[in-house]
Amino acid sequence: MVSPISFTDFKSYSLRLGVLALPILITQFCQAALGVVDAIMAGRVSALDLAAVAVGAGIWLPLFLLATGILIATTPLIGEAIGQNNYARVPHITQQSLWTASVIGVLGFIIVNLAPNVLGMMGVPADIQPIATQYLHGVSFGFPALAIYAVLRSYCEALGRPEPVTVISVIGLLADIPLNYIFIHGLFGMPEMGGAGCGVATAIVLWINVILLAAYTAFTKRQQFASTRFFYNFAAPNRTQIKKLLKLGLPIGISIFFEASLFSLGALVISPLGALATASHQVALSVTSQLFMIPISVAMALTIMVSNRFGEKNLTAVRHVQATGLIWTVIIAFISMLGIWLFRPQLAAAFTDNIEVRAQAMHLLIFALIYQLFDGWQVNVAGILRGMQDTTVPMWVTLFCYWIVALPLGIYLVRFTEVGAQGFWMALIAGLFLSSILLTLRLYYQQKRLHIHWTAEAAEVSN
């Protein structure tokens, strides 16, 4: 599957991968940390508030990731244009993505506002529902901002300049803490909302982020941006380009939705066991979500690097990028496993003062430790496939592994056996293991197909 790579090439690709992945990693940490800050600050109010925010996030975050997943198709499309040395297409691609983002943002706002209607049907306890509803209403106002921000972020990162996104993400995270405090405790004339105030704070942060990034891309004098400025001569919606974006992006968004919803719905599946079980699950999930930012950042960097080589039709370079990324995937996974094992007590204590929640969270972290390798592997193989613009089959793989296998298995183990909350984490391991195998087989097939196709094209040109 992977052609041999020399140590010199490995060092070269590792350096490029690190230059791209490190700022993306900081950005991902900041975005994930918004949820962690919410969990910590809501948990300081009460276990009930923490459980309600966990349930609200379980609905909001999969929709957030679905939207951003669709729109990050902008990255491989721009990456392919750059690989073909066709920079003139970059503004047009970005403009059409922004038109799409506007529609997705409005739809997301409506759906999140309607989401509280399903809480009762999903078995969420009555005492959790009011806080979760208020949280969802607040956070919904940030949906249009996050959609536009996803496009601007993809534009920056595909140009090889993820740094401005990183700086703005840090600013947003720093702003989230005082904003949470204001709305949780009702300072400066604001209503005292408890844990639900985290939703309003998150929406404000999302608007701060998109305004700052839009201003940067409009006025920076960096060459990459100055030569691909998209604010001027803004084209009308183009059906062909939007269709191409959606053909590539919808499977990405749906794949991410299937995986994210599997994790996030855990709070809903576990919620009938009570606030204590739900809160401990949320603590363990918050820890693993932060660790997951490392392999997913590598995967996003791999998408950029692979898309450039894909545009060049250089399969050897694609394979070398792939080999480099997967070697680092394994290294990172084992480091994460060691870290979880050594620091489980400290990690659980960072999120809650409740002794019972800590104890249960520490137990669940053992299961999180087990799936680190499978999770990292499957997300990086998916990132490579996205760079090759192969997204439809991976979507079906994700649907099968997460919703057909893992989710029903998790519901059964939690609600119909005596296993308890850990049953859901057992199901996660099963789904991720299966996904890693099937996506690897798909990558092997795609590389064989591209080899045949590109070899035939080269022979036709030479003749």
Side-chain angles (χ1 to χ4, degrees):
M1 182 181 67
V2 180
S3 59
I5 180 171
S6 69
F7 184 67
T8 300
D9 286 339
F10 175 73
K11 288 197 300 182
S12 175
Y13 283 117
S14 294
L15 179 61
R16 178 58 180 161
L17 186 65
V19 167
L20 284 173
L22 183 58
I24 292 175
L25 173 61
I26 298 171
T27 300
Q28 290 298 117
F29 268 132
C30 290
Q31 288 194 345
L34 292 175
V36 175
V37 168
D38 287 354
I40 292 174
M41 298 185 74
R44 299 302 183 201
V45 179
S46 72
L48 181 64
D49 283 82
L50 174 56
V53 169
V55 169
I59 295 174
W60 144 258
L61 287 177
L63 293 171
F64 160 79
L65 292 169
L66 172 63
T68 55
I70 294 170
L71 296 167
I72 62 171
T74 307
T75 299
L77 291 174
I78 292 178
E80 180 189 23
I82 291 172
Q84 296 169 345
N85 202 29
N86 189 359
Y87 285 84
R89 279 196 54 78
V90 173
H92 181 71
I93 293 170
T94 308
Q95 290 168 0
Q96 299 310 310
S97 294
L98 287 170
W99 282 117
T100 309
S102 300
V103 175
I104 290 175
V106 173
L107 289 174
F109 169 78
I110 295 170
I111 293 170
V112 175
N113 267 293
L114 294 175
N117 295 320
V118 304
L119 294 177
M121 292 184 288
M122 301 183 82
V124 178
D127 57 346
I128 292 178
Q129 289 186 37
I131 303 174
T133 297
Q134 197 174 9
Y135 170 87
L136 287 168
H137 285 325
V139 81
S140 68
F141 287 93
F143 215 102
L146 77 85
I148 296 170
Y149 185 79
V151 174
L152 298 182
R153 175 182 174 177
S154 295
Y155 165 73
C156 292
E157 291 176 350
L159 291 177
R161 305 303 311 193
E163 303 90 347
V165 181
T166 302
V167 172
I168 290 168
S169 296
V170 172
I171 293 171
L173 176 60
L174 294 176
D176 187 52
I177 298 171
L179 286 170
N180 267 349
Y181 199 82
I182 289 169
F183 288 100
I184 287 173
H185 299 287
L187 303 181
F188 307 112
M190 296 295 108
E192 184 177 345
M193 302 175 67
C198 297
V200 177
T202 298
I204 294 173
V205 167
L206 291 170
W207 279 106
I208 291 172
N209 286 352
V210 75
I211 290 169
L212 290 177
L213 189 54
Y216 179 87
T217 56
F219 298 111
T220 182
K221 296 181 180 179
R222 285 184 179 271
Q223 178 59 33
Q224 294 97 325
F225 297 99
S227 61
T228 58
R229 202 83 74 184
F230 58 85
F231 285 99
Y232 310 109
N233 300 317
F234 211 98
N238 181 280
R239 182 178 300 179
T240 301
Q241 182 60 43
I242 291 175
K243 184 178 179 180
K244 185 176 182 180
L245 172 73
L246 293 176
K247 183 179 179 180
L248 184 61
L250 273 171
I252 296 175
I254 293 170
S255 296
I256 295 174
F257 175 80
F258 286 147
E259 181 177 1
S261 60
L262 174 64
F263 283 84
S264 297
L265 287 172
L268 297 174
V269 173
I270 294 168
S271 62
L273 301 180
L276 184 65
T278 307
S280 61
H281 166 79
Q282 184 63 22
V283 169
L285 184 62
S286 296
V287 172
T288 57
S289 295
Q290 286 295 292
L291 288 174
F292 181 66
M293 294 305 101
I294 303 174
I296 199 174
S297 299
V298 175
M300 294 173 76
L302 284 173
T303 298
I304 296 168
M305 294 175 66
V306 169
S307 66
N308 293 153
R309 277 77 191 170
F310 181 83
E312 297 169 354
K313 298 187 177 181
N314 186 340
L315 186 57
T316 299
V318 168
R319 285 173 167 164
H320 286 172
V321 170
Q322 168 196 322
T324 303
L326 293 180
I327 289 169
W328 281 110
T329 294
V330 174
I331 295 171
I332 290 166
F334 279 110
I335 293 173
S336 297
M337 293 165 73
L338 181 62
I340 292 173
W341 179 255
L342 292 176
F343 299 106
R344 282 184 302 135
Q346 293 85 353
L347 291 169
F351 289 89
T352 180
D353 294 326
N354 188 301
I355 300 299
E356 293 180 277
V357 174
R358 283 190 197 179
Q360 288 193 30
M362 286 174 58
H363 178 67
L364 294 178
L365 283 171
I366 295 175
F367 295 92
L369 180 153
I370 296 171
Y371 73 59
Q372 291 301 306
L373 180 60
F374 307 136
D375 202 13
W377 186 274
Q378 63 87 23
V379 77
N380 278 284
V381 172
I384 293 165
L385 289 169
R386 287 171 197 155
M388 298 161 66
Q389 298 191 13
D390 179 28
T391 59
T392 302
V393 170
M395 176 191 70
W396 292 114
V397 168
T398 308
L399 170 63
F400 174 72
C401 294
Y402 300 149
W403 277 48
I404 305 300
V405 176
L407 184 57
L409 178 61
I411 293 172
Y412 171 76
L413 291 175
V414 171
R415 298 194 176 184
F416 300 100
T417 73
E418 300 299 321
V419 173
Q422 70 183 26
F424 195 84
W425 291 75
M426 293 175 181
L428 289 178
I429 294 171
L432 291 168
F433 174 69
L434 185 59
S435 175
S436 64
I437 292 174
L438 295 179
L439 288 176
T440 301
L441 291 174
R442 176 62 180 178
L443 179 59
Y444 178 76
Y445 167 80
Q446 279 295 86
Q447 289 191 346
K448 287 184 65 177
R449 188 186 67 82
L450 285 178
H451 174 71
I452 295 170
H453 182 63
W454 287 349
T455 301
E457 278 190 354
E460 185 177 333
V461 170
S462 63
N463 292 332

